[in-house]
Amino acid sequence: SYNQVFTTADKLMPTFNRLSFNGTGEKDLLGCLEFCLRMTVRPAVAKTLIVLNCHAVYDTKVYKEISVILRDNDVRMHFISPLDLNLSIRRRHPPVIGYSEEEVFTTSSLKYTFDGTRLRRYLQRPVGHTLAYLASHSGGVTFSTNYLTTGASNLKIASSVLGREVARLAHPTDCQLCDCMVDDEGEGKVLCQRCISTFDFITFQWNKFGAGKF
């Protein structure tokens, strides 16, 4: 916000107020994502993208392109949408408010005795939701806005669980390779990518060609 790498909470609302809602209504997911990734970030930090939409997206054509962009830029994506999430079990269970690749989140997730990993295999995943698949693929979470709207009975619980998970997952990747690149305007920027393996390439090259021999 304000073209600054660092910002404060009091500058967020003016930034949102400057957004224009007079567009054509076209759903250009790829263009939005590319715009976000062109923004300046510090090297070796965690990059989190939260996608909030009001309609289901079934465009499978963009899945491969966006998944590659998320992977190459080391971005974790979270998805919030009006989804109906259920468990395929007969016994009574708390309402499902979201899920990740490892666990399910319900209105009981804040209790110490709750274990969402045991319920994950019973989750009925939303079929055909491209963004939900992308969120899981990038290591993010998917939440339903049915419990995050004003007046919802479980709004405080759902927002607390969502905030907790986004904060917990907002950690930098342990191994990153950073290079100096040139952007569209000819300015230098640092691009950091997740290491393909834990192999220390820099140390290997340093030892290979004789460190300290001048």
Side-chain angles (χ1 to χ4, degrees), residues 34 37 100 122 144 206:
E34 290 176 339
L37 296 179
S100 68
Y122 301 109
S144 173
W206 182 262

Side-chain angles (χ1 to χ4, degrees), residues 57-148:
V57 178
Y58 300 99
D59 189 0
T60 58
K61 296 179 181 178
V62 300
Y63 178 86
K64 184 176 181 180
E65 292 180 87
I66 295 181
S67 63
V68 171
I69 292 177
L70 293 174
R71 182 198 64 198
D72 289 349
N73 290 271
D74 194 23
V75 176
R76 190 186 305 273
M77 191 188 92
H78 305 294
F79 178 49
I80 305 175
S81 184
L83 305 171
D84 293 323
L85 304 175
N86 298 288
L87 300 178
S88 57
I89 54 178
R90 294 184 178 181
R91 70 175 183 271
R92 190 174 180 179
H93 58 81
V96 179
I97 59 178
Y99 69 93
S100 68
E101 197 65 24
E102 294 82 22
E103 61 181 309
V104 165
F105 309 108
T106 73
T107 53
S108 298
S109 291
L110 295 180
K111 297 181 179 179
Y112 291 107
T113 57
F114 181 79
D115 184 8
T117 57
R118 296 194 303 174
L119 298 175
R120 182 61 180 82
R121 60 176 176 164
Y122 301 109
L123 176 69
Q124 297 177 358
R125 296 184 62 172
V127 179
H129 281 265
T130 304
L131 295 182
Y133 293 155
L134 284 168
S136 296
H137 182 76
S138 68
V141 298
T142 296
F143 270 73
S144 173
T145 55
N146 297 337
Y147 303 94
L148 294 169

